[in-house]
PDB file of all heavy atoms in Angstrom:
ATOM      1  N   ASP A 378     -57.382 137.592  12.355  1.00  0.00           N
ATOM      2  CA  ASP A 378     -56.611 138.634  11.935  1.00  0.00           C
ATOM      3  C   ASP A 378     -56.480 139.928  12.803  1.00  0.00           C
ATOM      4  O   ASP A 378     -55.996 140.994  12.571  1.00  0.00           O
ATOM      5  CB  ASP A 378     -56.923 139.133  10.667  1.00  0.00           C
ATOM      6  CG  ASP A 378     -58.418 139.548  10.441  1.00  0.00           C
ATOM      7  OD1 ASP A 378     -59.078 139.590  11.582  1.00  0.00           O
ATOM      8  OD2 ASP A 378     -58.853 139.722   9.357  1.00  0.00           O
ATOM      9  N   GLY A 379     -57.187 139.857  14.015  1.00  0.00           N
ATOM     10  CA  GLY A 379     -57.222 140.831  14.977  1.00  0.00           C
ATOM     11  C   GLY A 379     -58.240 142.022  14.620  1.00  0.00           C
ATOM     12  O   GLY A 379     -58.243 143.015  15.408  1.00  0.00           O
ATOM     13  N   LYS A 380     -58.909 141.917  13.684  1.00  0.00           N
ATOM     14  CA  LYS A 380     -59.878 142.887  13.311  1.00  0.00           C
ATOM     15  C   LYS A 380     -61.116 142.938  14.170  1.00  0.00           C
ATOM     16  O   LYS A 380     -61.442 141.928  14.769  1.00  0.00           O
ATOM     17  CB  LYS A 380     -60.257 142.885  11.825  1.00  0.00           C
ATOM     18  CG  LYS A 380     -59.087 143.223  10.914  1.00  0.00           C
ATOM     19  CD  LYS A 380     -59.523 143.138   9.462  1.00  0.00           C
ATOM     20  CE  LYS A 380     -58.238 143.530   8.564  1.00  0.00           C
ATOM     21  NZ  LYS A 380     -58.736 143.600   6.990  1.00  0.00           N
ATOM     22  N   LYS A 381     -61.802 144.020  14.201  1.00  0.00           N
ATOM     23  CA  LYS A 381     -62.903 144.176  15.008  1.00  0.00           C
ATOM     24  C   LYS A 381     -64.147 143.318  14.504  1.00  0.00           C
ATOM     25  O   LYS A 381     -64.191 143.007  13.268  1.00  0.00           O
ATOM     26  CB  LYS A 381     -63.475 145.631  15.088  1.00  0.00           C
ATOM     27  CG  LYS A 381     -62.416 146.588  15.672  1.00  0.00           C
ATOM     28  CD  LYS A 381     -62.930 148.055  15.753  1.00  0.00           C
ATOM     29  CE  LYS A 381     -63.155 148.591  14.308  1.00  0.00           C
ATOM     30  NZ  LYS A 381     -63.619 149.957  14.322  1.00  0.00           N
ATOM     31  N   PRO A 382     -65.106 142.954  15.477  1.00  0.00           N
ATOM     32  CA  PRO A 382     -66.463 142.257  14.979  1.00  0.00           C
ATOM     33  C   PRO A 382     -67.122 143.239  13.949  1.00  0.00           C
ATOM     34  O   PRO A 382     -66.807 144.369  13.779  1.00  0.00           O
ATOM     35  CB  PRO A 382     -67.070 142.085  16.174  1.00  0.00           C
ATOM     36  CG  PRO A 382     -66.195 142.289  17.345  1.00  0.00           C
ATOM     37  CD  PRO A 382     -65.161 143.334  16.828  1.00  0.00           C
ATOM     38  N   PRO A 383     -67.974 142.627  13.098  1.00  0.00           N
ATOM     39  CA  PRO A 383     -68.820 143.376  12.153  1.00  0.00           C
ATOM     40  C   PRO A 383     -69.443 144.585  12.715  1.00  0.00           C
ATOM     41  O   PRO A 383     -70.025 144.444  13.833  1.00  0.00           O
ATOM     42  CB  PRO A 383     -69.758 142.384  11.642  1.00  0.00           C
ATOM     43  CG  PRO A 383     -69.149 141.140  11.652  1.00  0.00           C
ATOM     44  CD  PRO A 383     -68.367 141.232  13.057  1.00  0.00           C
ATOM     45  N   HIS A 384     -69.464 145.738  12.133  1.00  0.00           N
ATOM     46  CA  HIS A 384     -70.038 146.917  12.708  1.00  0.00           C
ATOM     47  C   HIS A 384     -70.837 147.643  11.426  1.00  0.00           C
ATOM     48  O   HIS A 384     -70.373 147.600  10.347  1.00  0.00           O
ATOM     49  CB  HIS A 384     -68.849 147.765  13.138  1.00  0.00           C
ATOM     50  CG  HIS A 384     -69.334 148.850  14.064  1.00  0.00           C
ATOM     51  ND1 HIS A 384     -69.393 148.662  15.414  1.00  0.00           N
ATOM     52  CD2 HIS A 384     -69.722 150.122  14.000  1.00  0.00           C
ATOM     53  CE1 HIS A 384     -69.817 149.637  16.035  1.00  0.00           C
ATOM     54  NE2 HIS A 384     -70.077 150.710  15.236  1.00  0.00           N
ATOM     55  N   LEU A 385     -71.929 148.254  11.844  1.00  0.00           N
ATOM     56  CA  LEU A 385     -72.649 149.002  10.972  1.00  0.00           C
ATOM     57  C   LEU A 385     -72.634 150.536  11.229  1.00  0.00           C
ATOM     58  O   LEU A 385     -72.802 150.894  12.310  1.00  0.00           O
ATOM     59  CB  LEU A 385     -74.184 148.629  10.978  1.00  0.00           C
ATOM     60  CG  LEU A 385     -75.214 149.293  10.143  1.00  0.00           C
ATOM     61  CD1 LEU A 385     -74.885 149.225   8.671  1.00  0.00           C
ATOM     62  CD2 LEU A 385     -76.570 148.890  10.421  1.00  0.00           C
ATOM     63  N   ILE A 386     -72.296 151.331  10.172  1.00  0.00           N
ATOM     64  CA  ILE A 386     -72.114 152.747  10.303  1.00  0.00           C
ATOM     65  C   ILE A 386     -73.068 153.406   9.334  1.00  0.00           C
ATOM     66  O   ILE A 386     -73.102 153.227   8.166  1.00  0.00           O
ATOM     67  CB  ILE A 386     -70.631 153.237  10.060  1.00  0.00           C
ATOM     68  CG1 ILE A 386     -69.648 152.551  10.911  1.00  0.00           C
ATOM     69  CG2 ILE A 386     -70.653 154.696  10.068  1.00  0.00           C
ATOM     70  CD1 ILE A 386     -68.169 152.724  10.504  1.00  0.00           C
ATOM     71  N   LEU A 387     -74.007 154.233   9.953  1.00  0.00           N
ATOM     72  CA  LEU A 387     -74.957 154.996   9.233  1.00  0.00           C
ATOM     73  C   LEU A 387     -74.708 156.446   9.260  1.00  0.00           C
ATOM     74  O   LEU A 387     -74.656 157.223  10.327  1.00  0.00           O
ATOM     75  CB  LEU A 387     -76.364 154.617   9.771  1.00  0.00           C
ATOM     76  CG  LEU A 387     -76.845 153.330   9.723  1.00  0.00           C
ATOM     77  CD1 LEU A 387     -76.643 152.584  11.114  1.00  0.00           C
ATOM     78  CD2 LEU A 387     -78.393 153.172   9.506  1.00  0.00           C
ATOM     79  N   ILE A 388     -74.340 156.953   8.005  1.00  0.00           N
ATOM     80  CA  ILE A 388     -74.050 158.341   7.935  1.00  0.00           C
ATOM     81  C   ILE A 388     -75.117 159.041   7.001  1.00  0.00           C
ATOM     82  O   ILE A 388     -75.548 158.525   6.008  1.00  0.00           O
ATOM     83  CB  ILE A 388     -72.696 158.634   7.138  1.00  0.00           C
ATOM     84  CG1 ILE A 388     -71.548 157.996   8.106  1.00  0.00           C
ATOM     85  CG2 ILE A 388     -72.475 159.973   6.885  1.00  0.00           C
ATOM     86  CD1 ILE A 388     -70.195 158.144   7.373  1.00  0.00           C
ATOM     87  N   GLY A 389     -75.731 160.198   7.579  1.00  0.00           N
ATOM     88  CA  GLY A 389     -76.730 160.896   6.779  1.00  0.00           C
ATOM     89  C   GLY A 389     -76.987 162.224   7.289  1.00  0.00           C
ATOM     90  O   GLY A 389     -76.707 162.506   8.540  1.00  0.00           O
ATOM     91  N   SER A 390     -77.585 163.090   6.531  1.00  0.00           N
ATOM     92  CA  SER A 390     -77.957 164.403   6.894  1.00  0.00           C
ATOM     93  C   SER A 390     -79.332 164.324   7.612  1.00  0.00           C
ATOM     94  O   SER A 390     -80.137 163.662   7.285  1.00  0.00           O
ATOM     95  CB  SER A 390     -77.933 165.324   5.704  1.00  0.00           C
ATOM     96  OG  SER A 390     -78.843 164.903   4.675  1.00  0.00           O
ATOM     97  N   VAL A 391     -79.494 165.452   8.394  1.00  0.00           N
ATOM     98  CA  VAL A 391     -80.651 165.526   9.170  1.00  0.00           C
ATOM     99  C   VAL A 391     -81.356 166.953   8.818  1.00  0.00           C
ATOM    100  O   VAL A 391     -80.671 167.987   9.112  1.00  0.00           O
ATOM    101  CB  VAL A 391     -80.500 165.561  10.783  1.00  0.00           C
ATOM    102  CG1 VAL A 391     -81.813 165.883  11.501  1.00  0.00           C
ATOM    103  CG2 VAL A 391     -80.057 164.129  11.158  1.00  0.00           C
ATOM    104  N   ARG A 392     -82.493 167.003   8.163  1.00  0.00           N
ATOM    105  CA  ARG A 392     -82.971 168.225   7.614  1.00  0.00           C
ATOM    106  C   ARG A 392     -83.793 168.976   8.593  1.00  0.00           C
ATOM    107  O   ARG A 392     -83.777 170.294   8.587  1.00  0.00           O
ATOM    108  CB  ARG A 392     -83.926 167.966   6.364  1.00  0.00           C
ATOM    109  CG  ARG A 392     -83.206 167.179   5.256  1.00  0.00           C
ATOM    110  CD  ARG A 392     -84.352 166.592   4.276  1.00  0.00           C
ATOM    111  NE  ARG A 392     -85.239 165.656   4.975  1.00  0.00           N
ATOM    112  CZ  ARG A 392     -86.229 165.060   4.405  1.00  0.00           C
ATOM    113  NH1 ARG A 392     -86.623 165.414   3.219  1.00  0.00           N
ATOM    114  NH2 ARG A 392     -87.015 164.274   5.070  1.00  0.00           N
ATOM    115  N   ASP A 393     -84.504 168.291   9.494  1.00  0.00           N
ATOM    116  CA  ASP A 393     -85.422 169.005  10.428  1.00  0.00           C
ATOM    117  C   ASP A 393     -85.712 168.166  11.717  1.00  0.00           C
ATOM    118  O   ASP A 393     -85.053 166.961  11.843  1.00  0.00           O
ATOM    119  CB  ASP A 393     -86.740 169.317   9.685  1.00  0.00           C
ATOM    120  CG  ASP A 393     -87.318 168.169   8.929  1.00  0.00           C
ATOM    121  OD1 ASP A 393     -87.188 167.002   9.442  1.00  0.00           O
ATOM    122  OD2 ASP A 393     -87.868 168.381   7.904  1.00  0.00           O
ATOM    123  N   ALA A 394     -86.595 168.548  12.464  1.00  0.00           N
ATOM    124  CA  ALA A 394     -86.961 167.853  13.684  1.00  0.00           C
ATOM    125  C   ALA A 394     -87.526 166.508  13.458  1.00  0.00           C
ATOM    126  O   ALA A 394     -87.313 165.474  14.146  1.00  0.00           O
ATOM    127  CB  ALA A 394     -87.960 168.630  14.496  1.00  0.00           C
ATOM    128  N   HIS A 395     -88.247 166.279  12.273  1.00  0.00           N
ATOM    129  CA  HIS A 395     -88.712 164.975  11.916  1.00  0.00           C
ATOM    130  C   HIS A 395     -87.596 163.938  11.558  1.00  0.00           C
ATOM    131  O   HIS A 395     -87.746 162.783  12.118  1.00  0.00           O
ATOM    132  CB  HIS A 395     -89.624 165.116  10.724  1.00  0.00           C
ATOM    133  CG  HIS A 395     -90.834 165.906  10.839  1.00  0.00           C
ATOM    134  ND1 HIS A 395     -91.868 165.474  11.664  1.00  0.00           N
ATOM    135  CD2 HIS A 395     -91.249 167.216  10.353  1.00  0.00           C
ATOM    136  CE1 HIS A 395     -92.789 166.404  11.725  1.00  0.00           C
ATOM    137  NE2 HIS A 395     -92.463 167.384  10.900  1.00  0.00           N
ATOM    138  N   ASP A 396     -86.676 164.444  10.926  1.00  0.00           N
ATOM    139  CA  ASP A 396     -85.460 163.545  10.608  1.00  0.00           C
ATOM    140  C   ASP A 396     -84.728 163.345  11.915  1.00  0.00           C
ATOM    141  O   ASP A 396     -84.210 162.106  12.238  1.00  0.00           O
ATOM    142  CB  ASP A 396     -84.440 164.283   9.701  1.00  0.00           C
ATOM    143  CG  ASP A 396     -84.984 164.284   8.229  1.00  0.00           C
ATOM    144  OD1 ASP A 396     -86.005 163.638   8.078  1.00  0.00           O
ATOM    145  OD2 ASP A 396     -84.345 164.776   7.438  1.00  0.00           O
ATOM    146  N   ALA A 397     -84.572 164.169  12.892  1.00  0.00           N
ATOM    147  CA  ALA A 397     -83.918 163.910  14.197  1.00  0.00           C
ATOM    148  C   ALA A 397     -84.712 162.943  14.967  1.00  0.00           C
ATOM    149  O   ALA A 397     -84.093 162.011  15.655  1.00  0.00           O
ATOM    150  CB  ALA A 397     -83.844 165.300  14.959  1.00  0.00           C
ATOM    151  N   THR A 398     -86.059 163.003  14.960  1.00  0.00           N
ATOM    152  CA  THR A 398     -86.863 161.991  15.630  1.00  0.00           C
ATOM    153  C   THR A 398     -86.725 160.714  15.098  1.00  0.00           C
ATOM    154  O   THR A 398     -86.821 159.565  15.781  1.00  0.00           O
ATOM    155  CB  THR A 398     -88.339 162.357  15.624  1.00  0.00           C
ATOM    156  OG1 THR A 398     -88.551 163.674  16.204  1.00  0.00           O
ATOM    157  CG2 THR A 398     -89.220 161.391  16.253  1.00  0.00           C
ATOM    158  N   ARG A 399     -86.539 160.638  13.662  1.00  0.00           N
ATOM    159  CA  ARG A 399     -86.392 159.355  12.971  1.00  0.00           C
ATOM    160  C   ARG A 399     -85.079 158.671  13.343  1.00  0.00           C
ATOM    161  O   ARG A 399     -84.993 157.424  13.586  1.00  0.00           O
ATOM    162  CB  ARG A 399     -86.389 159.672  11.433  1.00  0.00           C
ATOM    163  CG  ARG A 399     -86.463 158.366  10.550  1.00  0.00           C
ATOM    164  CD  ARG A 399     -86.808 158.672   9.145  1.00  0.00           C
ATOM    165  NE  ARG A 399     -88.106 159.327   9.151  1.00  0.00           N
ATOM    166  CZ  ARG A 399     -88.326 160.567   8.774  1.00  0.00           C
ATOM    167  NH1 ARG A 399     -87.345 161.474   8.551  1.00  0.00           N
ATOM    168  NH2 ARG A 399     -89.565 161.058   8.787  1.00  0.00           N
ATOM    169  N   VAL A 400     -84.014 159.439  13.623  1.00  0.00           N
ATOM    170  CA  VAL A 400     -82.748 158.902  14.046  1.00  0.00           C
ATOM    171  C   VAL A 400     -82.850 158.394  15.435  1.00  0.00           C
ATOM    172  O   VAL A 400     -82.299 157.360  15.710  1.00  0.00           O
ATOM    173  CB  VAL A 400     -81.607 160.018  13.976  1.00  0.00           C
ATOM    174  CG1 VAL A 400     -80.318 159.479  14.524  1.00  0.00           C
ATOM    175  CG2 VAL A 400     -81.358 160.366  12.536  1.00  0.00           C
ATOM    176  N   TYR A 401     -83.581 159.017  16.313  1.00  0.00           N
ATOM    177  CA  TYR A 401     -83.817 158.620  17.616  1.00  0.00           C
ATOM    178  C   TYR A 401     -84.605 157.167  17.593  1.00  0.00           C
ATOM    179  O   TYR A 401     -84.196 156.346  18.439  1.00  0.00           O
ATOM    180  CB  TYR A 401     -84.667 159.579  18.469  1.00  0.00           C
ATOM    181  CG  TYR A 401     -85.049 159.198  19.777  1.00  0.00           C
ATOM    182  CD1 TYR A 401     -83.962 159.238  20.872  1.00  0.00           C
ATOM    183  CD2 TYR A 401     -86.312 158.851  20.029  1.00  0.00           C
ATOM    184  CE1 TYR A 401     -84.417 158.859  22.093  1.00  0.00           C
ATOM    185  CE2 TYR A 401     -86.619 158.353  21.353  1.00  0.00           C
ATOM    186  CZ  TYR A 401     -85.688 158.441  22.502  1.00  0.00           C
ATOM    187  OH  TYR A 401     -86.084 158.052  23.697  1.00  0.00           O
ATOM    188  N   ASP A 402     -85.586 157.045  16.782  1.00  0.00           N
ATOM    189  CA  ASP A 402     -86.352 155.909  16.652  1.00  0.00           C
ATOM    190  C   ASP A 402     -85.433 154.743  16.152  1.00  0.00           C
ATOM    191  O   ASP A 402     -85.524 153.570  16.568  1.00  0.00           O
ATOM    192  CB  ASP A 402     -87.508 156.026  15.781  1.00  0.00           C
ATOM    193  CG  ASP A 402     -88.562 156.920  16.308  1.00  0.00           C
ATOM    194  OD1 ASP A 402     -88.579 157.079  17.558  1.00  0.00           O
ATOM    195  OD2 ASP A 402     -89.368 157.594  15.589  1.00  0.00           O
ATOM    196  N   LEU A 403     -84.541 155.028  15.148  1.00  0.00           N
ATOM    197  CA  LEU A 403     -83.544 154.071  14.706  1.00  0.00           C
ATOM    198  C   LEU A 403     -82.716 153.542  15.812  1.00  0.00           C
ATOM    199  O   LEU A 403     -82.378 152.382  15.918  1.00  0.00           O
ATOM    200  CB  LEU A 403     -82.811 154.640  13.464  1.00  0.00           C
ATOM    201  CG  LEU A 403     -83.602 154.774  12.155  1.00  0.00           C
ATOM    202  CD1 LEU A 403     -82.843 155.453  11.209  1.00  0.00           C
ATOM    203  CD2 LEU A 403     -84.230 153.418  11.623  1.00  0.00           C
ATOM    204  N   ARG A 404     -82.202 154.470  16.642  1.00  0.00           N
ATOM    205  CA  ARG A 404     -81.392 154.075  17.723  1.00  0.00           C
ATOM    206  C   ARG A 404     -82.112 153.095  18.721  1.00  0.00           C
ATOM    207  O   ARG A 404     -81.601 152.153  19.124  1.00  0.00           O
ATOM    208  CB  ARG A 404     -80.997 155.357  18.509  1.00  0.00           C
ATOM    209  CG  ARG A 404     -79.896 156.199  17.781  1.00  0.00           C
ATOM    210  CD  ARG A 404     -79.649 157.431  18.604  1.00  0.00           C
ATOM    211  NE  ARG A 404     -78.719 158.451  18.036  1.00  0.00           N
ATOM    212  CZ  ARG A 404     -77.402 158.340  17.810  1.00  0.00           C
ATOM    213  NH1 ARG A 404     -76.781 157.420  18.380  1.00  0.00           N
ATOM    214  NH2 ARG A 404     -76.768 159.312  17.175  1.00  0.00           N
ATOM    215  N   LEU A 405     -83.449 153.468  18.995  1.00  0.00           N
ATOM    216  CA  LEU A 405     -84.268 152.561  19.787  1.00  0.00           C
ATOM    217  C   LEU A 405     -84.375 151.302  19.212  1.00  0.00           C
ATOM    218  O   LEU A 405     -84.272 150.176  19.843  1.00  0.00           O
ATOM    219  CB  LEU A 405     -85.732 153.195  20.014  1.00  0.00           C
ATOM    220  CG  LEU A 405     -85.754 154.362  20.961  1.00  0.00           C
ATOM    221  CD1 LEU A 405     -87.183 154.919  20.905  1.00  0.00           C
ATOM    222  CD2 LEU A 405     -85.223 154.123  22.239  1.00  0.00           C
ATOM    223  N   LEU A 406     -84.489 151.198  17.819  1.00  0.00           N
ATOM    224  CA  LEU A 406     -84.721 149.885  17.186  1.00  0.00           C
ATOM    225  C   LEU A 406     -83.342 149.110  17.248  1.00  0.00           C
ATOM    226  O   LEU A 406     -83.487 147.871  17.561  1.00  0.00           O
ATOM    227  CB  LEU A 406     -85.048 150.134  15.665  1.00  0.00           C
ATOM    228  CG  LEU A 406     -85.133 148.816  14.892  1.00  0.00           C
ATOM    229  CD1 LEU A 406     -86.278 147.821  15.308  1.00  0.00           C
ATOM    230  CD2 LEU A 406     -85.437 149.159  13.282  1.00  0.00           C
ATOM    231  N   ALA A 407     -82.229 149.658  17.110  1.00  0.00           N
ATOM    232  CA  ALA A 407     -81.013 149.085  17.368  1.00  0.00           C
ATOM    233  C   ALA A 407     -80.811 148.445  18.656  1.00  0.00           C
ATOM    234  O   ALA A 407     -80.273 147.411  18.905  1.00  0.00           O
ATOM    235  CB  ALA A 407     -79.770 150.012  17.002  1.00  0.00           C
ATOM    236  N   HIS A 408     -81.415 149.225  19.674  1.00  0.00           N
ATOM    237  CA  HIS A 408     -81.297 148.680  20.995  1.00  0.00           C
ATOM    238  C   HIS A 408     -82.193 147.440  21.201  1.00  0.00           C
ATOM    239  O   HIS A 408     -81.856 146.565  21.946  1.00  0.00           O
ATOM    240  CB  HIS A 408     -81.770 149.823  22.008  1.00  0.00           C
ATOM    241  CG  HIS A 408     -81.759 149.438  23.484  1.00  0.00           C
ATOM    242  ND1 HIS A 408     -80.583 149.303  24.157  1.00  0.00           N
ATOM    243  CD2 HIS A 408     -82.869 149.124  24.252  1.00  0.00           C
ATOM    244  CE1 HIS A 408     -80.904 148.905  25.417  1.00  0.00           C
ATOM    245  NE2 HIS A 408     -82.272 148.792  25.494  1.00  0.00           N
ATOM    246  N   GLU A 409     -83.469 147.546  20.695  1.00  0.00           N
ATOM    247  CA  GLU A 409     -84.408 146.462  20.697  1.00  0.00           C
ATOM    248  C   GLU A 409     -83.894 145.191  19.960  1.00  0.00           C
ATOM    249  O   GLU A 409     -84.097 144.034  20.464  1.00  0.00           O
ATOM    250  CB  GLU A 409     -85.660 146.869  20.129  1.00  0.00           C
ATOM    251  CG  GLU A 409     -86.477 147.928  20.808  1.00  0.00           C
ATOM    252  CD  GLU A 409     -87.699 148.422  20.092  1.00  0.00           C
ATOM    253  OE1 GLU A 409     -87.983 147.774  19.010  1.00  0.00           O
ATOM    254  OE2 GLU A 409     -88.308 149.380  20.449  1.00  0.00           O
ATOM    255  N   LEU A 410     -83.012 145.403  18.961  1.00  0.00           N
ATOM    256  CA  LEU A 410     -82.508 144.231  18.240  1.00  0.00           C
ATOM    257  C   LEU A 410     -81.290 143.797  18.840  1.00  0.00           C
ATOM    258  O   LEU A 410     -80.608 142.829  18.370  1.00  0.00           O
ATOM    259  CB  LEU A 410     -82.320 144.734  16.757  1.00  0.00           C
ATOM    260  CG  LEU A 410     -83.422 145.066  15.845  1.00  0.00           C
ATOM    261  CD1 LEU A 410     -83.038 145.645  14.514  1.00  0.00           C
ATOM    262  CD2 LEU A 410     -84.277 143.788  15.624  1.00  0.00           C
ATOM    263  N   GLN A 411     -80.783 144.345  19.944  1.00  0.00           N
ATOM    264  CA  GLN A 411     -79.628 144.005  20.649  1.00  0.00           C
ATOM    265  C   GLN A 411     -78.364 144.115  19.881  1.00  0.00           C
ATOM    266  O   GLN A 411     -77.564 143.216  19.928  1.00  0.00           O
ATOM    267  CB  GLN A 411     -79.745 142.535  21.279  1.00  0.00           C
ATOM    268  CG  GLN A 411     -80.959 142.363  22.144  1.00  0.00           C
ATOM    269  CD  GLN A 411     -81.167 141.001  22.719  1.00  0.00           C
ATOM    270  OE1 GLN A 411     -80.357 140.105  22.419  1.00  0.00           O
ATOM    271  NE2 GLN A 411     -82.085 140.915  23.641  1.00  0.00           N
ATOM    272  N   ILE A 412     -78.242 145.200  19.035  1.00  0.00           N
ATOM    273  CA  ILE A 412     -77.140 145.404  18.200  1.00  0.00           C
ATOM    274  C   ILE A 412     -76.531 146.781  18.353  1.00  0.00           C
ATOM    275  O   ILE A 412     -75.796 147.215  17.642  1.00  0.00           O
ATOM    276  CB  ILE A 412     -77.432 145.142  16.674  1.00  0.00           C
ATOM    277  CG1 ILE A 412     -78.546 146.081  16.312  1.00  0.00           C
ATOM    278  CG2 ILE A 412     -77.734 143.743  16.299  1.00  0.00           C
ATOM    279  CD1 ILE A 412     -78.805 146.118  14.806  1.00  0.00           C
TER     280      ILE A 412
END
Side-chain angles (χ1 to χ4, degrees):
D378 54 13
K380 293 185 178 181
K381 299 181 295 183
H384 201 87
L385 174 63
I386 300 171
L387 297 95
I388 296 178
S390 59
V391 173
R392 302 166 298 175
D393 49 32
H395 295 291
D396 286 355
T398 301
R399 191 167 296 111
V400 174
Y401 177 76
D402 291 339
L403 290 170
R404 291 180 187 273
L405 288 179
L406 178 59
H408 180 74
E409 293 172 7
L410 294 171
Q411 299 180 356
I412 58 173

